[in-house]
Amino acid sequence: MTSDHAVASMTSDHADDIDRHVRVYISVFVALMVLTVVTVTVSRFHLPVPVAVTAALIIATIKGSLVACYFMHLISEKKLIYAVLALTAVFFVALLALPIATVNNGYWIH
């Protein structure tokens, strides 16, 4: 009888763990839907282009982070994943800064 009780307890713990994960996924889904509504709402304000682009990028960054962290399971990964992510972010910023650097000082423009 002891092993049956242990199996039932383990099954119950496993079911509770699954329920907890499902609640997290549903919460992230709801947050993504709310942020989508916020994106559409902000687009209706007819803001100046720089402000609109900044708002859109901030919202998109939050949404992308939620997807990467929870649906791609990066929130529970080891430090190597974060190092690769940081390196990717550095190269991304460098690529974004490259046109700004060329416009401001005139290098590489003929």
Side-chain angles (χ1 to χ4, degrees):
M1 289 297 224
T2 306
S3 65
D4 291 338
H5 179 65
V7 169
S9 175
M10 195 166 70
T11 303
S12 174
D13 291 342
H14 184 65
D16 291 340
D17 192 40
I18 290 174
D19 288 342
R20 184 175 54 82
H21 283 290
V22 168
R23 280 192 303 271
V24 168
Y25 291 141
I26 290 172
S27 298
V28 170
F29 174 74
V30 169
L32 290 171
M33 290 300 103
V34 167
L35 288 169
T36 299
V37 169
V38 168
T39 302
V40 172
T41 304
V42 167
S43 73
R44 304 282 179 174
F45 288 146
H46 302 293
L47 299 170
V49 173
V51 175
V53 169
T54 302
L57 285 175
I58 289 170
I59 295 168
T61 300
I62 294 169
K63 288 171 64 175
S65 298
L66 285 172
V67 169
C69 287
Y70 291 99
F71 294 134
M72 296 174 69
H73 307 285
L74 293 181
I75 200 161
S76 61
E77 288 296 324
K78 301 206 184 307
K79 291 180 182 179
L80 178 63
I81 296 295
Y82 289 116
V84 170
L85 181 62
L87 183 64
T88 302
V90 167
F91 278 115
F92 177 71
V93 170
L95 285 174
L96 287 179
L98 189 62
I100 295 169
T102 52
V103 169
N104 287 338
N105 61 18
Y107 291 132
W108 305 305
I109 297 176
H110 300 292

